[in-house]
C-alpha cells in the first residue's frame, strides 16, 4: 500500500520517478525510532504486549507526529510516497474482533489526504511465500485475509483516489503501473490545496 502526496514541483524536477523520490527524501515509512515508534516496534516484534485500542491510537499518533515534516517537504516541492499510512491502521485494527471501521478511522480524520492511494493486491497465500513473511505479529494468512476484506470496504470510499495494482506481476510491470498512476495523480494535484483525510466521510 503506497500513498502519494504532491503539491508543486521543484523547478528542475522532471516529474515522478522512484529514484528521484528516494534521493529527495520523499519516501516515508512509519518511524519506529521515535518514543511512540519504539513502543510500536517492540509490540510488532512480539517483545511486548499492548491493549488493542491503545496500540491503534499509538499507530495514529505516530502518523500525526510526522505531519509537520510531511508539510514541510510538500512546501519544498518534494513529492511524498508514504508506505501504508492510515489505511493500514484501519484495516489491521478493524480485522480484530469488536472493532468498528468508523471507530478505527476517527483518530486519523484530518491527516493530510493523499492524492493517490495504491493498493498492491496479492493473495495472502502468495504473499506468505515471499521473503520474511511470518516474522512479525499479524503475519498469518488467516489474519491477512480479514485485513484484505477490510481494505475492500475502505476502497468503497469515493473521497479517496484508490487504484488497485496487481502485485502478482513481475517487478518491472508493478513499477510501470505505479509510475503511470503516480504521474497522473501528480499532474492533477499540482497547486491544489492539501486535503484532509476522511473529513467528509465521517461527517454524519
Ligand atoms: N512483483 C514481485 N515479484 C516477486 N517478488 C516480489 C515482488 N515484489 C516484491 N517481491 C519480494 O517480496 C518480498 C516482500 O516485498 P516487500 O518488502 O516489497 O513487501 P511489503 O508488502 O512492502 O512488506 P511489508 O510487510 O514489509 O510492508 C521481498 O523479498 C521482495 O523482493
Ligand atoms: C501503519 C500501521 C501498520 N500496522 C501493521 C501492519 C504491519 O503488520 C505492521 C507494519 O509493518 P511494516 O512492514 O513495518 O510496514 O503494522 C498496523 O497495525 N497499524 C498501522 O497503523
Amino acid at each position: 500500500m503506497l500513498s502519494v502526496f504532491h503539491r508543486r514541483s521543484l523547478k528542475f524536477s522532471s516529474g515522478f520517478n522512484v529514484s528521484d523520490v528516494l534521493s529527495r527524501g520523499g519516501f516515508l515509512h512509519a518511524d519506529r525510532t521515535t518514543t511512540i515508534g519504539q513502543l510500536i516496534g517492540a509490540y510488532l516484534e512480539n517483545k511486548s504486549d499492548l491493549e488493542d485500542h491503545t496500540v491503534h491510537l499509538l499507530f495514529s499518533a505516530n502518523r500525526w507526529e510526522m505531519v509537520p515534516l510531511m508539510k514541510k517537504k510538500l512546501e519544498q516541492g518534494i513529492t511524498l510516497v508514504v508506505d501504508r499510512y492510515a489505511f493500514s491502521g484501519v484495516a489491521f485494527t478493524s480485522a480484530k474482533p469488536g472493532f468498528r471501521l468508523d471507530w478505527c478511522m476517527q483518530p486519523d480524520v484530518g491527516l493530510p489526504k493523499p492524492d493517490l492511494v495504491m493498493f498492491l493486491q496479492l493473495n495472502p497465500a502468495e504473499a506468505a511465500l515471499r521473503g520474511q513473511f511470518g516474522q512479525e505479529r499479524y503475519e498469518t494468512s488467516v489474519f491477512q485475509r480479514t485485513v484484505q476484506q477490510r481494505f475492500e470496504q475502505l476502497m468503497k470510499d469515493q473521497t479517496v483516489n484508490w487504484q488497485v495494482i496487481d502485485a502478482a506481476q513481475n517487478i518491472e510491470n508493478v513499477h510501470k503501473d505505479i509510475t503511470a498512476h503516480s504521474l497522473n495523480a501528480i499532474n492533477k494535484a499540482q497547486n491544489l490545496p492539501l486535503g484532509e483525510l476522511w473529513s467528509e466521510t465521517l461527517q454524519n
Side-chain angles (χ1 to χ4, degrees), residues 1 29 83-84 120 122 127 130-133 136 139 166-172 174:
M1 142 127 325
H29 188 269
D83 193 18
R84 294 191 179 276
L120 279 73
L122 188 68
R130 292 201 175 164
Q132 299 188 328
F133 184 88
E136 281 194 345
E139 290 183 344
D166 176 10
Q169 315 173 80
N170 63 46
I171 290 177
E172 289 72 29
V174 172

Side-chain angles (χ1 to χ4, degrees), residues 29 32 44 59 63 84-85 88-89 92 136-138:
H29 188 269
R32 290 197 194 173
L44 287 172
F59 269 114
R63 282 184 278 283
R84 294 191 179 276
Y85 208 51
S88 280
F92 278 76
E136 281 194 345
R137 200 185 281 264
Y138 302 148

Side-chain angles (χ1 to χ4, degrees), residues 29-30 32 40 43-44 55-56 58-60 62-63 83-93 96 108 136-139 143-144 147:
H29 188 269
R32 290 197 194 173
I40 293 171
Y43 171 82
L44 287 172
V55 75
H56 182 73
L58 286 176
F59 269 114
S60 177
N62 191 228
R63 282 184 278 283
D83 193 18
R84 294 191 179 276
Y85 208 51
F87 312 98
S88 280
V90 175
F92 278 76
T93 302
K96 297 178 178 179
D108 288 309
E136 281 194 345
R137 200 185 281 264
Y138 302 148
E139 290 183 344
F143 190 68
Q144 295 284 333
V147 169

Side-chain angles (χ1 to χ4, degrees), residues 13-127:
S13 166
S14 56
F16 175 88
N17 70 60
V18 171
S19 48
D20 191 43
V21 168
L22 291 175
S23 68
R24 295 188 200 288
F27 187 81
L28 301 178
H29 188 269
D31 186 352
R32 290 197 194 173
T33 66
T34 64
T35 305
I36 294 169
Q38 285 175 34
L39 291 171
I40 293 171
Y43 171 82
L44 287 172
E45 289 161 28
N46 287 308
K47 293 181 182 150
S48 71
D49 281 320
L50 289 167
E51 194 276 331
D52 288 331
H53 299 79
T54 311
V55 75
H56 182 73
L57 296 172
L58 286 176
F59 269 114
S60 177
N62 191 228
R63 282 184 278 283
W64 279 106
E65 63 184 347
M66 295 284 281
V67 170
L69 177 68
M70 291 173 72
K71 288 191 170 165
K72 187 170 151 205
K73 284 180 182 269
L74 287 169
E75 274 159 23
Q76 290 169 345
I78 296 171
T79 303
L80 299 182
V81 177
V82 178
D83 193 18
R84 294 191 179 276
Y85 208 51
F87 312 98
S88 280
V90 175
F92 278 76
T93 302
S94 67
K96 297 178 178 179
F99 281 88
R100 286 169 45 145
L101 212 70
D102 58 346
W103 185 90
C104 295
M105 290 162 88
Q106 198 64 60
D108 288 309
V109 169
L111 278 176
K113 180 175 166 178
D115 302 300
L116 165 69
V117 183
M118 286 176 282
F119 181 70
L120 279 73
Q121 185 143 39
L122 188 68
N123 73 56
E126 239 180 292

